[in-house]
Amino acid sequence: MVKAVVGANWGDEGKGKITDTLADQADVVIRFQGGANAGHTIVNSYGKFALHTVPSGVFHQRIMNIIGNGVALNIPILMKELAGIEERGVPAPQLMISDRCQVVMPYHILFDACEEERLAGKSFGSTQSGIAPFYSDKYAKVGWQVSELFMDDSEIREKIDRVCVQKDILLTQLYHRDPIDREALLETIHEYRDRIAPYVGDVSAYLGKAIAEGKTILLEGQLGTLKDPDHGIYPMVTSSSTLAAFGAIGAGIPPYEIKQIIAVNKAYSSAVGAGEFVSEIFGEEADELRRRGGDGGEYGATTGRPRRMGWYDCVASRYGCRLQGATDVAFTVLDVLGYLDVIPVCVAYEIDGVQTKDFPVTSLLKKAKPVYVNLPGWKCDIRGIRKYEDLPENCRNYIEFIEAEIGCPITIISNGPEHHDIIYR
């Protein structure tokens, strides 16, 4: 059975923990898109980890962890992460990298930083991880597939020359930087090839065999619906599809094999980076939620930037779950809200004096004002509770109200940062 774990909103919903927990019963975990520009935070018996490239199944030694062809593979970050988790006592995980995956090159990161600097106050809030330049090259057909790192040097040099003609013009004329050092780039390619050689394989063939054998496969997504380049808050989006449907492409499996789609959804809202965020709150109200939130404060796992905070948004979440094709919702960080007497929930948007429950395009989203309903809080700590019926009545009412609004069953509830802080309905 193939299951997808994806984000329903802006990202940072807690996908890493949900994937790590579901991996208890899985055989394969595969990252199918995105790069090292966002992280998944996991707290388990080994400690607290922020993973950026490696799949969230690396703490389970029997699991095959796969980096699929849809990922923007930053090889130095991958190898640093693998070394880092092993240094902290985690046994070396099984890992396979798709031979069709493409590689983030040093000049992708350079172009990302140069463009953000050029745009200045009108930038996209990039993490400067090279993601947009990487995906631009992939679809312009001048990217570097993992398999190409193993070509003869004559073929590699020919491609370097072909790529650098265009890159050097941009670097020298637009950004006023030095051209690419072609010999240094060849040495980098050799280094990358040697470091990943033991892990490279035919992922699609491996997964096809795993499906035939009835194994459980988890597709692990990065970010969330609202950061999708087609269906999100364009242009303040990422550069690869964040939808479960892309999991079939980014893994190399038939789409009909995805039987369960778990959309991870926070009990409040948060976002990193620029873009429209209708239920956003500010000042002390936001600061307190940020301090109490997450697994030690709401700060980006990759950037460390304070996350923007907001109340739960039914409009965005209903849209996010629908676009993902969610069969289930995993509702996270519910325990954080225990300090509140009253909990606002955004149930509609008002645009030009008209209320709507449909998530609009960005130009209309800029005009949207949140319409709130206030629900009573439960005013106690719910960590440690393992049965749904043991949750306070107001807490259950909050869950069931949101479940009715978004039209998707909430079957998994996370009420703490630890691996075992989970309630199944």
Side-chain angles (χ1 to χ4, degrees):
M1 182 179 186
V2 182
K3 306 177 182 181
V5 180
V6 288
N9 299 111
W10 298 265
D12 303 311
E13 297 99 343
K15 295 180 295 296
K17 176 188 171 172
I18 299 301
T19 304
D20 179 49
T21 301
L22 295 177
D24 290 345
Q25 284 81 45
D27 302 293
V28 179
V29 175
I30 174 168
R31 273 286 306 275
F32 65 83
Q33 49 80 224
N37 55 318
H40 291 171
T41 302
I42 294 175
V43 180
N44 57 28
S45 59
Y46 294 106
K48 180 178 177 180
F49 298 83
L51 305 181
H52 306 277
T53 302
V54 297
S56 295
V58 291
F59 302 101
H60 304 255
Q61 278 64 59
R62 61 181 178 74
I63 284 178
M64 175 59 77
N65 293 274
I66 293 177
I67 295 175
N69 56 274
V71 172
L73 176 61
N74 187 314
I75 292 172
I77 288 180
L78 170 67
M79 304 312 294
K80 183 179 179 180
E81 281 189 33
L82 287 172
I85 63 174
E86 290 179 42
E87 286 169 4
R88 295 178 60 185
V90 180
Q94 297 185 67
L95 178 68
M96 180 183 292
I97 299 170
S98 173
D99 53 7
R100 296 177 185 273
C101 186
Q102 293 205 13
V103 180
V104 176
M105 289 294 177
Y107 57 76
H108 290 138
I109 297 168
L110 173 61
F111 274 103
D112 204 352
C114 288
E115 183 64 3
E116 285 291 291
E117 181 181 320
R118 185 184 73 85
L119 291 172
K122 295 182 179 180
S123 72
F124 294 104
S126 168
T127 61
Q128 299 184 25
S129 303
I131 302 303
F134 164 89
Y135 281 108
S136 296
D137 278 6
K138 179 174 181 175
Y139 294 108
K141 297 175 282 293
V142 291
W144 291 87
Q145 208 171 63
V146 161
S147 61
E148 293 181 295
L149 305 186
F150 296 85
M151 297 189 302
D152 293 336
D153 273 7
S154 60
E155 295 176 284
I156 294 175
R157 286 182 185 277
E158 187 279 329
K159 180 161 184 175
I160 287 175
D161 288 341
R162 178 160 44 88
V163 169
C164 286
V165 168
Q166 178 195 62
K167 302 298 180 191
D168 286 348
I169 291 172
L170 287 171
L171 281 172
T172 58
Q173 301 302 312
L174 179 62
Y175 298 123
H176 308 295
R177 301 293 182 97
D178 293 332
I180 294 170
D181 185 328
R182 301 183 188 196
E183 286 303 313
L185 181 57
L186 178 65
E187 291 178 14
T188 296
I189 289 170
H190 287 163
E191 177 193 348
Y192 285 2
R193 175 196 64 199
D194 295 342
R195 295 181 79 177
I196 65 169
Y199 306 108
V200 176
D202 186 338
V203 162
S204 180
Y206 179 90
L207 292 176
K209 185 171 184 289
I211 290 170
E213 293 172 351
K215 292 186 175 179
T216 298
I217 299 166
L218 295 182
L219 302 175
E220 180 182 17
Q222 182 213 51
L223 295 169
T225 308
L226 305 183
K227 290 293 185 178
D228 184 80
D230 289 292
H231 299 283
I233 51 172
Y234 188 87
M236 302 303 183
V237 293
T238 192
S239 302
S240 64
S241 177
T242 59
L243 302 183
F246 188 77
I249 299 167
I253 60 173
Y256 55 76
E257 293 292 352
I258 304 174
K259 307 298 187 188
Q260 186 179 19
I261 298 172
I262 300 156
V264 187
N265 193 203
K266 269 181 173 168
Y268 52 88
S269 298
S270 71
V272 169
E276 304 310 314
F277 184 5
V278 175
S279 68
E280 185 171 11
I281 58 177
F282 303 93
E284 179 54 35
E285 186 178 42
D287 290 341
E288 184 168 16
L289 183 56
R290 185 180 299 110
R291 285 195 302 268
R292 293 173 177 270
D295 48 25
E298 287 285 0
Y299 299 91
T302 298
T303 63
R305 289 185 292 189
R307 290 179 181 141
R308 298 162 64 192
M309 306 304 297
W311 300 122
Y312 188 88
D313 187 332
C314 294
V315 179
S317 297
R318 183 189 307 107
Y319 175 80
C321 290
R322 178 169 62 83
L323 267 290
Q324 292 290 5
T327 59
D328 302 78
V329 166
F331 205 48
T332 59
V333 292
L334 182 62
D335 54 297
V336 169
L337 300 179
Y339 73 99
L340 291 162
D341 293 305
V342 173
I343 308 173
V345 176
C346 175
V347 295
Y349 295 165
E350 183 181 304
I351 302 173
D352 293 332
V354 178
Q355 287 193 17
T356 181
K357 291 194 172 187
D358 293 325
F359 192 80
V361 295
T362 306
S363 58
L364 294 176
L365 202 59
K366 293 176 184 294
K367 304 178 182 180
K369 299 175 183 178
V371 177
Y372 287 114
V373 168
N374 291 324
L375 299 180
W378 48 92
K379 293 296 290 181
C380 66
D381 186 359
I382 60 170
R383 288 191 187 184
I385 294 175
R386 296 290 174 266
K387 295 181 180 178
Y388 182 71
E389 56 268 25
D390 292 338
L391 289 171
E393 181 180 4
N394 283 348
C395 184
R396 286 183 276 117
N397 290 341
Y398 184 77
I399 295 166
E400 291 162 21
F401 177 87
I402 285 171
E403 185 177 55
E405 285 287 324
I406 64 176
C408 191
I410 296 173
T411 60
I412 302 171
I413 298 161
S414 174
N415 60 334
E418 299 287 345
H419 179 84
H420 55 268
D421 289 328
I422 287 285
I423 299 170
Y424 295 97
R425 288 177 77 202

